[in-house]
mmCIF file with all atom_site columns, all heavy atoms in Angstrom:
data_model
loop_
_atom_site.group_PDB
_atom_site.id
_atom_site.type_symbol
_atom_site.label_atom_id
_atom_site.label_alt_id
_atom_site.label_comp_id
_atom_site.label_asym_id
_atom_site.label_entity_id
_atom_site.label_seq_id
_atom_site.pdbx_PDB_ins_code
_atom_site.Cartn_x
_atom_site.Cartn_y
_atom_site.Cartn_z
_atom_site.occupancy
_atom_site.B_iso_or_equiv
_atom_site.pdbx_formal_charge
_atom_site.auth_seq_id
_atom_site.auth_comp_id
_atom_site.auth_asym_id
_atom_site.auth_atom_id
_atom_site.pdbx_PDB_model_num
ATOM 1  N N   . LEU K 1 30 ? 5.521   -22.865 11.486 1.00 98.00 ? 30 LEU K N   1
ATOM 2  C CA  . LEU K 1 30 ? 4.869   -21.889 10.571 1.00 98.00 ? 30 LEU K CA  1
ATOM 3  C C   . LEU K 1 30 ? 3.915   -22.675 9.625  1.00 98.00 ? 30 LEU K C   1
ATOM 4  O O   . LEU K 1 30 ? 2.705   -22.305 9.418  1.00 98.00 ? 30 LEU K O   1
ATOM 5  C CB  . LEU K 1 30 ? 5.814   -21.097 9.728  1.00 98.00 ? 30 LEU K CB  1
ATOM 6  C CG  . LEU K 1 30 ? 5.209   -20.043 8.844  1.00 98.00 ? 30 LEU K CG  1
ATOM 7  C CD1 . LEU K 1 30 ? 4.350   -19.031 9.585  1.00 98.00 ? 30 LEU K CD1 1
ATOM 8  C CD2 . LEU K 1 30 ? 6.305   -19.347 8.043  1.00 98.00 ? 30 LEU K CD2 1
ATOM 9  N N   . GLY K 1 31 ? 4.387   -23.874 9.014  1.00 98.00 ? 31 GLY K N   1
ATOM 10 C CA  . GLY K 1 31 ? 3.548   -24.610 8.146  1.00 98.00 ? 31 GLY K CA  1
ATOM 11 C C   . GLY K 1 31 ? 2.341   -25.123 8.824  1.00 98.00 ? 31 GLY K C   1
ATOM 12 O O   . GLY K 1 31 ? 1.208   -25.225 8.328  1.00 98.00 ? 31 GLY K O   1
ATOM 13 N N   . ILE K 1 32 ? 2.490   -25.604 10.079 1.00 98.00 ? 32 ILE K N   1
ATOM 14 C CA  . ILE K 1 32 ? 1.402   -26.227 10.909 1.00 98.00 ? 32 ILE K CA  1
ATOM 15 C C   . ILE K 1 32 ? 0.398   -25.085 11.177 1.00 98.00 ? 32 ILE K C   1
ATOM 16 O O   . ILE K 1 32 ? -0.862  -25.274 11.062 1.00 98.00 ? 32 ILE K O   1
ATOM 17 C CB  . ILE K 1 32 ? 1.878   -26.772 12.169 1.00 98.00 ? 32 ILE K CB  1
ATOM 18 C CG1 . ILE K 1 32 ? 2.683   -28.089 11.769 1.00 98.00 ? 32 ILE K CG1 1
ATOM 19 C CG2 . ILE K 1 32 ? 0.803   -27.082 13.163 1.00 98.00 ? 32 ILE K CG2 1
ATOM 20 C CD1 . ILE K 1 32 ? 3.495   -28.620 12.998 1.00 98.00 ? 32 ILE K CD1 1
ATOM 21 N N   . VAL K 1 33 ? 0.818   -23.904 11.510 1.00 98.00 ? 33 VAL K N   1
ATOM 22 C CA  . VAL K 1 33 ? -0.029  -22.755 11.856 1.00 98.00 ? 33 VAL K CA  1
ATOM 23 C C   . VAL K 1 33 ? -0.793  -22.392 10.647 1.00 98.00 ? 33 VAL K C   1
ATOM 24 O O   . VAL K 1 33 ? -2.101  -22.178 10.694 1.00 98.00 ? 33 VAL K O   1
ATOM 25 C CB  . VAL K 1 33 ? 0.795   -21.540 12.403 1.00 98.00 ? 33 VAL K CB  1
ATOM 26 C CG1 . VAL K 1 33 ? -0.113  -20.278 12.480 1.00 98.00 ? 33 VAL K CG1 1
ATOM 27 C CG2 . VAL K 1 33 ? 1.301   -21.918 13.755 1.00 98.00 ? 33 VAL K CG2 1
ATOM 28 N N   . ILE K 1 34 ? -0.194  -22.331 9.432  1.00 98.00 ? 34 ILE K N   1
ATOM 29 C CA  . ILE K 1 34 ? -0.896  -21.948 8.240  1.00 98.00 ? 34 ILE K CA  1
ATOM 30 C C   . ILE K 1 34 ? -1.928  -22.980 7.915  1.00 98.00 ? 34 ILE K C   1
ATOM 31 O O   . ILE K 1 34 ? -3.073  -22.655 7.461  1.00 98.00 ? 34 ILE K O   1
ATOM 32 C CB  . ILE K 1 34 ? 0.066   -21.803 7.091  1.00 98.00 ? 34 ILE K CB  1
ATOM 33 C CG1 . ILE K 1 34 ? 0.942   -20.539 7.287  1.00 98.00 ? 34 ILE K CG1 1
ATOM 34 C CG2 . ILE K 1 34 ? -0.602  -21.709 5.756  1.00 98.00 ? 34 ILE K CG2 1
ATOM 35 C CD1 . ILE K 1 34 ? 2.128   -20.343 6.307  1.00 98.00 ? 34 ILE K CD1 1
ATOM 36 N N   . ALA K 1 35 ? -1.593  -24.315 8.025  1.00 98.00 ? 35 ALA K N   1
ATOM 37 C CA  . ALA K 1 35 ? -2.562  -25.309 7.695  1.00 98.00 ? 35 ALA K CA  1
ATOM 38 C C   . ALA K 1 35 ? -3.746  -25.328 8.643  1.00 98.00 ? 35 ALA K C   1
ATOM 39 O O   . ALA K 1 35 ? -4.955  -25.456 8.176  1.00 98.00 ? 35 ALA K O   1
ATOM 40 C CB  . ALA K 1 35 ? -1.917  -26.763 7.809  1.00 98.00 ? 35 ALA K CB  1
ATOM 41 N N   . VAL K 1 36 ? -3.566  -25.036 9.885  1.00 98.00 ? 36 VAL K N   1
ATOM 42 C CA  . VAL K 1 36 ? -4.619  -25.020 10.865 1.00 98.00 ? 36 VAL K CA  1
ATOM 43 C C   . VAL K 1 36 ? -5.532  -23.805 10.590 1.00 98.00 ? 36 VAL K C   1
ATOM 44 O O   . VAL K 1 36 ? -6.811  -23.876 10.605 1.00 98.00 ? 36 VAL K O   1
ATOM 45 C CB  . VAL K 1 36 ? -4.148  -24.966 12.344 1.00 98.00 ? 36 VAL K CB  1
ATOM 46 C CG1 . VAL K 1 36 ? -5.168  -24.580 13.326 1.00 98.00 ? 36 VAL K CG1 1
ATOM 47 C CG2 . VAL K 1 36 ? -3.479  -26.326 12.722 1.00 98.00 ? 36 VAL K CG2 1
ATOM 48 N N   . ARG K 1 37 ? -4.956  -22.645 10.333 1.00 97.00 ? 37 ARG K N   1
ATOM 49 C CA  . ARG K 1 37 ? -5.740  -21.446 10.045 1.00 97.00 ? 37 ARG K CA  1
ATOM 50 C C   . ARG K 1 37 ? -6.554  -21.658 8.803  1.00 97.00 ? 37 ARG K C   1
ATOM 51 O O   . ARG K 1 37 ? -7.726  -21.275 8.723  1.00 97.00 ? 37 ARG K O   1
ATOM 52 C CB  . ARG K 1 37 ? -4.774  -20.204 9.865  1.00 97.00 ? 37 ARG K CB  1
ATOM 53 C CG  . ARG K 1 37 ? -4.246  -19.697 11.175 1.00 97.00 ? 37 ARG K CG  1
ATOM 54 C CD  . ARG K 1 37 ? -5.267  -19.337 12.230 1.00 97.00 ? 37 ARG K CD  1
ATOM 55 N NE  . ARG K 1 37 ? -6.158  -18.248 11.683 1.00 97.00 ? 37 ARG K NE  1
ATOM 56 C CZ  . ARG K 1 37 ? -7.463  -18.117 11.992 1.00 97.00 ? 37 ARG K CZ  1
ATOM 57 N NH1 . ARG K 1 37 ? -7.873  -18.808 12.921 1.00 97.00 ? 37 ARG K NH1 1
ATOM 58 N NH2 . ARG K 1 37 ? -8.151  -17.213 11.472 1.00 97.00 ? 37 ARG K NH2 1
ATOM 59 N N   . ARG K 1 38 ? -5.967  -22.194 7.759  1.00 97.00 ? 38 ARG K N   1
ATOM 60 C CA  . ARG K 1 38 ? -6.694  -22.406 6.476  1.00 97.00 ? 38 ARG K CA  1
ATOM 61 C C   . ARG K 1 38 ? -7.836  -23.324 6.761  1.00 97.00 ? 38 ARG K C   1
ATOM 62 O O   . ARG K 1 38 ? -8.964  -23.240 6.188  1.00 97.00 ? 38 ARG K O   1
ATOM 63 C CB  . ARG K 1 38 ? -5.864  -23.124 5.441  1.00 97.00 ? 38 ARG K CB  1
ATOM 64 C CG  . ARG K 1 38 ? -4.917  -22.033 4.787  1.00 97.00 ? 38 ARG K CG  1
ATOM 65 C CD  . ARG K 1 38 ? -4.083  -22.636 3.612  1.00 97.00 ? 38 ARG K CD  1
ATOM 66 N NE  . ARG K 1 38 ? -3.217  -21.558 3.074  1.00 97.00 ? 38 ARG K NE  1
ATOM 67 C CZ  . ARG K 1 38 ? -2.306  -21.826 2.154  1.00 97.00 ? 38 ARG K CZ  1
ATOM 68 N NH1 . ARG K 1 38 ? -2.142  -22.996 1.744  1.00 97.00 ? 38 ARG K NH1 1
ATOM 69 N NH2 . ARG K 1 38 ? -1.551  -20.840 1.698  1.00 97.00 ? 38 ARG K NH2 1
ATOM 70 N N   . ARG K 1 39 ? -7.643  -24.467 7.603  1.00 97.00 ? 39 ARG K N   1
ATOM 71 C CA  . ARG K 1 39 ? -8.772  -25.323 7.902  1.00 97.00 ? 39 ARG K CA  1
ATOM 72 C C   . ARG K 1 39 ? -9.880  -24.612 8.653  1.00 97.00 ? 39 ARG K C   1
ATOM 73 O O   . ARG K 1 39 ? -11.101 -24.852 8.341  1.00 97.00 ? 39 ARG K O   1
ATOM 74 C CB  . ARG K 1 39 ? -8.139  -26.518 8.748  1.00 97.00 ? 39 ARG K CB  1
ATOM 75 C CG  . ARG K 1 39 ? -9.018  -27.727 8.706  1.00 97.00 ? 39 ARG K CG  1
ATOM 76 C CD  . ARG K 1 39 ? -8.362  -28.843 9.464  1.00 97.00 ? 39 ARG K CD  1
ATOM 77 N NE  . ARG K 1 39 ? -7.280  -29.434 8.685  1.00 97.00 ? 39 ARG K NE  1
ATOM 78 C CZ  . ARG K 1 39 ? -6.507  -30.479 9.159  1.00 97.00 ? 39 ARG K CZ  1
ATOM 79 N NH1 . ARG K 1 39 ? -6.544  -30.852 10.320 1.00 97.00 ? 39 ARG K NH1 1
ATOM 80 N NH2 . ARG K 1 39 ? -5.652  -30.931 8.377  1.00 97.00 ? 39 ARG K NH2 1
ATOM 81 N N   . HIS K 1 40 ? -9.506  -23.709 9.607  1.00 96.00 ? 40 HIS K N   1
ATOM 82 C CA  . HIS K 1 40 ? -10.575 -23.020 10.332 1.00 96.00 ? 40 HIS K CA  1
ATOM 83 C C   . HIS K 1 40 ? -11.273 -22.110 9.410  1.00 96.00 ? 40 HIS K C   1
ATOM 84 O O   . HIS K 1 40 ? -12.579 -21.899 9.562  1.00 96.00 ? 40 HIS K O   1
ATOM 85 C CB  . HIS K 1 40 ? -9.932  -22.259 11.528 1.00 96.00 ? 40 HIS K CB  1
ATOM 86 C CG  . HIS K 1 40 ? -9.536  -23.049 12.698 1.00 96.00 ? 40 HIS K CG  1
ATOM 87 N ND1 . HIS K 1 40 ? -10.509 -23.631 13.415 1.00 96.00 ? 40 HIS K ND1 1
ATOM 88 C CD2 . HIS K 1 40 ? -8.454  -23.304 13.190 1.00 96.00 ? 40 HIS K CD2 1
ATOM 89 C CE1 . HIS K 1 40 ? -9.881  -24.290 14.370 1.00 96.00 ? 40 HIS K CE1 1
ATOM 90 N NE2 . HIS K 1 40 ? -8.632  -24.229 14.258 1.00 96.00 ? 40 HIS K NE2 1
#
Side-chain angles (χ1 to χ4, degrees):
L30 180 62
I32 292 169
V33 168
I34 290 172
V36 169
R37 288 300 305 153
R38 284 186 181 171
R39 202 176 281 176
H40 283 292

